Amino acid sequence: DTEVTQTPKHLVMGMTNKKSLKCEQHMGHRAMYWYKQKAKKPPELMFVYSYEKLSINESVPSRFSPECPNSSLLNLHLHALQPEDSALYLCASSQDNAGGGTDTQYFGPGTRLTVL
Amino acid sequence: QQQVKQSPQSLIVQKGGISIINCAYENTAFDYFPWYQQFPGKGPALLIAIRPDVSEKKEGRFTISFNKSAKQFSLHIMDSQPGDSATYFCAARATNKLIFGTGTLLAVQP
């Protein structure tokens, strides 16, 4: 099973709202990722968690706050977003973050976020 | 040097034809090269991947050709079907990151 699940599928929020995106995997993967994808563009890496610790923050604004409660779950907390933050937010996981061998990332279906 | 260049940007192929998408890279530290298929409104799905010590990998109608000396790799879709119409991204792995190409929008006409 190579499934990564994400909730909600769609989210509409105002600029003053606080919301959270959730991601879950049961593949025993120890690395989890958040990406942002704009229309007709490749996914853009935001954060990487390796063994439940934040290992990469790609200079993401503080209005995005990631959290990894355990090895299967990844959250992205959203606060005071801007309309330009509207995008498809993708979660991915891989066996670990060290690379090597044939380890690669498996993506969830994404959350379509609209900021009004 | 972290870039992966992908071409063409879009591609129209007749049903039953061969679709070819090309990617090129500079960073010799890349050690794994996956291809992803993405349908509108969905997440990218891993399609096929290759290690740089292998020159070709085939899975069903999908084949990756890899030229290490030229730092190029390509995806071939044989007997293309309308259901293959999607955006395809090549990628290259550098330790803890995937570097994506810019994507190719494939349309297979019936």
Side-chain angles (χ1 to χ4, degrees):
Chain A
D1 183 13
T2 56
E3 189 177 28
V4 176
T5 59
Q6 289 186 243
T7 55
K9 290 185 179 180
H10 302 275
L11 179 63
V12 179
M13 60 186 292
M15 290 191 285
T16 58
N17 291 157
K18 285 185 181 181
K19 296 285 185 184
S20 296
L21 309 185
K22 297 185 185 303
C23 173
E24 190 167 4
Q25 58 88 13
H26 294 288
M27 295 178 277
H29 288 175
R30 303 312 301 268
M32 296 186 77
Y33 310 77
W34 280 116
Y35 287 85
K36 173 182 177 180
Q37 187 179 29
K38 290 282 205 177
K40 301 184 180 181
K41 297 290 186 183
E44 186 181 326
L45 184 65
M46 299 174 71
F47 302 103
V48 180
Y49 272 83
S50 180
Y51 293 84
E52 300 164 46
K53 292 190 183 338
L54 183 65
S55 62
I56 295 177
N57 176 342
E58 292 284 272
S59 302
V60 179
S62 60
R63 57 186 184 267
F64 295 92
S65 175
E67 178 195 21
C68 188
N70 60 55
S71 60
S72 300
L73 292 174
L74 187 66
N75 298 322
L76 186 63
H77 302 298
L78 314 172
H79 174 53
L81 295 193
Q82 303 297 310
E84 59 264 29
D85 296 321
S86 298
L88 181 67
Y89 286 84
L90 296 163
C91 173
S93 70
S94 65
Q95 285 184 334
D96 64 39
N97 191 227
T102 58
D103 185 26
T104 193
Q105 294 177 30
Y106 295 89
F107 285 83
T111 293
R112 173 69 61 190
L113 174 67
T114 303
V115 182
L116 300 177
Chain B
Q1 201 179 23
Q2 282 286 77
Q3 284 185 339
V4 177
K5 295 182 180 179
Q6 184 172 345
S7 63
Q9 189 174 358
S10 62
L11 180 61
I12 299 174
V13 172
Q14 295 298 313
K15 179 182 176 182
I18 302 173
S19 304
I20 302 174
I21 304 170
N22 300 299
C23 288
Y25 65 97
E26 289 295 326
N27 188 350
T28 55
F30 291 147
D31 64 355
Y32 199 52
F33 299 86
W35 284 87
Y36 289 87
Q37 177 190 56
Q38 186 174 26
F39 293 103
K42 305 293 185 185
L46 179 64
L47 193 60
I48 187 172
I50 197 167
R51 293 183 349 228
D53 56 345
V54 176
S55 60
E56 185 175 283
K57 183 175 181 181
K58 184 177 180 180
E59 289 184 1
R61 296 185 293 108
F62 301 92
T63 300
I64 301 177
S65 297
F66 193 89
N67 185 330
K68 189 173 181 178
S69 61
K71 298 179 193 169
Q72 296 175 348
F73 58 111
S74 59
L75 176 70
H76 295 234
I77 306 174
M78 311 300 286
D79 187 26
S80 298
Q81 299 296 312
D84 297 329
S85 298
T87 299
Y88 292 80
F89 292 100
C90 63
R93 185 181 69 190
T95 309
N96 55 8
K97 290 185 181 181
L98 278 182
I99 309 301
F100 285 91
T102 49
T104 296
L105 179 61
L106 171 65
V108 181
Q109 294 186 334

